Amino acid sequence: MRRYLDYRLVLLAVFLGVLATVGLNLSVGVGVLVFLGTLVAGTAITALPDGGRRTLPAARRPGGTRQDQLLAAIESAVARLQEFSAGDLVPAVRPQAEEATTVATSALATARTVARAADQLDDAARQLAEVGRHGDGDQGAAGRLRRRRDALVQRLSSTADQLLDVYGNLVETNATLATSTLGTGDVAAGDAEALAGVSSSLDDLRVIASELEASGRQELPPA
């Protein structure tokens, strides 16, 4: 039989009772009430069954899943692009910044769909694990789910990387063109090359965003 009356609880009750009577100059009756109240409350909490404690919601794992982390990175990159596009830009850079923001915003909506699909695949794999099907090899259901989930996560990772690449190129190019007429060196000669670099990274972003969208359509039916 489990012993619910812990000696540490008794000591705490005695301490609080003495504190109420001596330290706070309250009556002996109040001290006794504090003593008994502490015992009753502590015993009730201690007596809770272990099963009841396990029903409490588990804390979310710090950082979330890999798709959660990548989606957060994409959201951050899109927010940076939107802020940058609304700022004071060199005229030659502004059209590219606005186009990048449009593509990025669309990619973000798709990324949320893809992340949700990855969550569903994780849930399905977890259900298989609960019935002992987690070890059925790469050719089994669990293996197929893992491969599909990994493919989606890879799409999200590529999107996050490319968004940062586009953002970095835009920031660098805007700064380069803004200083090309300030007498800081022969920077103007590289203007066309800098703009071409942004265009190239934008082209890559369009391709990656298109692949991400295709993945989202494949995994989730339209609402």
Side-chain angles (χ1 to χ4, degrees):
M1 179 176 178
R2 183 173 176 178
R3 181 169 58 89
Y4 295 120
L5 192 57
D6 196 310
Y7 75 94
R8 291 169 295 185
L9 180 60
V10 175
L11 291 176
L12 176 62
V14 170
F15 170 76
L16 293 178
V18 172
L19 178 63
T21 304
V22 179
L24 300 179
N25 294 321
L26 300 176
S27 66
V28 175
V30 173
V32 172
L33 288 177
V34 171
F35 171 78
L36 293 176
T38 304
L39 280 183
V40 172
T43 302
I45 293 173
T46 307
L48 283 174
D50 292 338
R53 293 195 190 100
R54 284 195 294 268
T55 61
L56 294 176
R60 188 174 179 83
R61 184 161 54 92
T65 62
R66 179 60 176 157
Q67 56 264 28
D68 289 338
Q69 297 167 358
L70 290 170
L71 182 58
I74 291 171
E75 289 173 341
S76 176
V78 172
R80 288 178 178 273
L81 278 170
Q82 291 172 340
E83 182 180 1
F84 177 79
S85 181
D88 185 16
L89 303 180
V90 172
V93 174
R94 181 168 297 282
Q96 292 179 319
E98 291 175 348
E99 182 178 1
T101 301
T102 300
V103 175
T105 302
S106 176
L108 173 58
T110 305
R112 288 173 175 149
T113 299
V114 171
R116 189 167 72 252
D119 287 338
Q120 291 181 345
L121 293 173
D122 278 343
D123 289 341
R126 191 176 304 111
Q127 291 170 8
L128 288 179
E130 289 174 354
V131 296
R133 295 294 303 277
H134 58 282
D136 57 356
D138 290 339
Q139 302 307 315
R144 290 191 293 272
L145 290 173
R146 286 193 297 268
R147 288 194 296 273
R148 288 170 61 189
R149 183 261 185 190
D150 290 346
L152 294 181
V153 169
Q154 182 57 47
R155 295 292 192 204
L156 292 172
S157 179
S158 298
T159 302
D161 290 342
Q162 192 58 37
L163 282 170
L164 289 177
D165 185 62
V166 169
Y167 175 73
N169 284 339
L170 283 169
V171 171
E172 180 181 6
T173 301
N174 187 67
T176 297
L177 299 187
T179 57
S180 62
T181 59
L182 297 182
T184 58
D186 190 16
V187 183
D191 289 356
E193 181 179 353
L195 289 171
V198 175
S199 295
S200 178
S201 63
L202 260 175
D203 289 341
D204 291 339
L205 178 60
R206 292 190 200 95
V207 172
I208 290 173
S210 177
E211 292 173 346
L212 184 71
E213 184 178 1
S215 298
R217 286 198 303 268
Q218 178 181 356
E219 291 299 335
L220 287 181

